[in-house]
Amino acid sequence: MTTARLPLFPLNAVLFPGLVLPLNVFEERYRTLMRELLKTDESEPRRFAVVAVRDGHELSPTAPGLPDRAAPPERGPTDGFGPEPMDAFHHVGCVADAATIRERPDGSFEVMATGTTRIRLLSIDTSGPYLTAEVEELPEEVGEGASALAEGVLRAFRSYQKRLAGARERTLATGDELPDEPSVVSYLIAAAAVLDTPSKQRLLEAPDTAARLKEELKLLRSETAVIRHLPSLPAVDLTRSPTSPN
């Protein structure tokens, strides 16, 4: 099993391989991380590990979205995560490759990264200005019947989209605009479905593609049934334009 030591970036969200992660980085410990990544030659990947914070634990204000200007300007590497950061994070995450890191005049950073490979946390080092982790890469096994399951998940997802769109007749992605490779389907649907973090985390941790697709099929059917009885639920952005893994 391949292991590596990577900077650690905790979020209140789950990153999946193949999906884009935009970040506004404004807290000093993560500014330092980005400055270190900028030292890597542009021809090499600028990698860091993204893990989701467990429910009930405080999250650093650095996350996707707008900066919290009221946040303290400096925090230690473990601030907000307790004396044992391993207890605060889900142990399966995803490597992110920062394609662009742009520093703003105020010293904050605008980052565009892409999920690449699932990883498991082995240990966390708290001795530096930001957290680093020893991680092992998790292979993506296909599993039995993944192709047929992917077809069923795509059908269920189209029905789910239509229920989310409701009566407002929003533009929906067509079958031609969605992928058909089972692992890509499994990660795209996991990211696009409106699910809570624990549900998304379970999908990320699935032992293989087929298992992930089976779970998604159950979740999509369940969510579609709920929406059918709650037609006033607001539609989300994924119903407004074709869905893309990028």
Side-chain angles (χ1 to χ4, degrees):
M1 189 70 67
T2 302
T3 63
R5 181 165 293 278
L6 295 174
L8 191 62
F9 203 119
L11 291 176
N12 61 347
V14 178
L15 176 64
F16 295 94
L19 276 296
V20 168
L21 175 67
L23 292 168
N24 288 306
V25 179
F26 55 92
E27 192 180 337
E28 184 55 36
R29 52 182 161 177
Y30 299 118
R31 293 188 191 191
T32 302
L33 188 162
M34 293 304 155
R35 287 192 287 267
E36 285 298 311
L37 290 178
L38 282 172
K39 295 178 182 178
T40 303
D41 189 272
E42 290 185 1
S43 64
E44 299 293 328
R46 292 168 169 169
R47 305 196 309 159
F48 56 97
V50 173
V51 292
V53 178
R54 294 184 185 276
D55 286 352
H57 289 268
E58 179 189 353
L59 178 66
S60 157
T62 303
L66 295 177
D68 177 3
R69 298 299 183 185
E74 295 187 18
R75 304 177 76 179
T78 62
D79 282 358
F81 304 127
E84 296 292 339
M86 283 289 286
D87 296 336
F89 308 139
H90 290 282
H91 291 177
V92 174
C94 185
V95 174
D97 181 5
T100 60
I101 304 175
R102 186 176 67 84
E103 187 170 7
R104 301 187 181 100
D106 65 359
S108 64
F109 289 87
E110 181 180 332
V111 180
M112 189 65 69
T114 303
T116 60
T117 306
R118 292 189 308 155
I119 50 92
R120 185 187 308 277
L121 291 182
L122 300 177
S123 64
I124 295 176
D125 184 352
T126 64
S127 63
Y130 50 82
L131 298 175
T132 60
E134 187 75 19
V135 303
E136 64 177 3
E137 294 187 6
L138 296 178
E140 179 69 18
E141 303 293 341
V142 177
E144 186 177 352
S147 294
L149 283 164
E151 293 176 4
V153 166
L154 287 174
R155 288 193 297 270
F157 182 66
R158 294 187 190 101
S159 176
Y160 172 74
Q161 282 188 305
K162 290 176 184 178
R163 288 292 177 182
L164 281 176
R168 284 175 282 186
E169 298 183 356
R170 299 186 185 275
T171 300
L172 299 173
T174 67
D176 293 338
E177 295 163 334
L178 291 169
D180 56 11
E181 201 283 317
S183 65
V184 175
V185 170
S186 75
Y187 286 130
L188 174 60
I189 300 306
V194 182
L195 302 170
D196 59 20
T197 295
S199 296
K200 287 181 179 282
Q201 183 66 33
R202 286 195 298 273
L203 294 176
L204 182 68
E205 295 179 7
D208 56 45
T209 299
R212 185 176 303 109
L213 289 165
K214 287 179 183 177
E215 181 65 19
E216 287 169 349
L217 194 56
K218 290 191 294 185
L219 286 169
L220 288 170
R221 288 171 174 171
S222 174
E223 292 296 309
T224 301
V226 170
I227 296 169
R228 185 182 299 120
H229 293 92
L230 297 171
S232 61
L233 282 178
V236 294
D237 289 344
L238 68 91
T239 65
R240 300 174 185 171
S241 60
T243 306
S244 168
N246 297 316

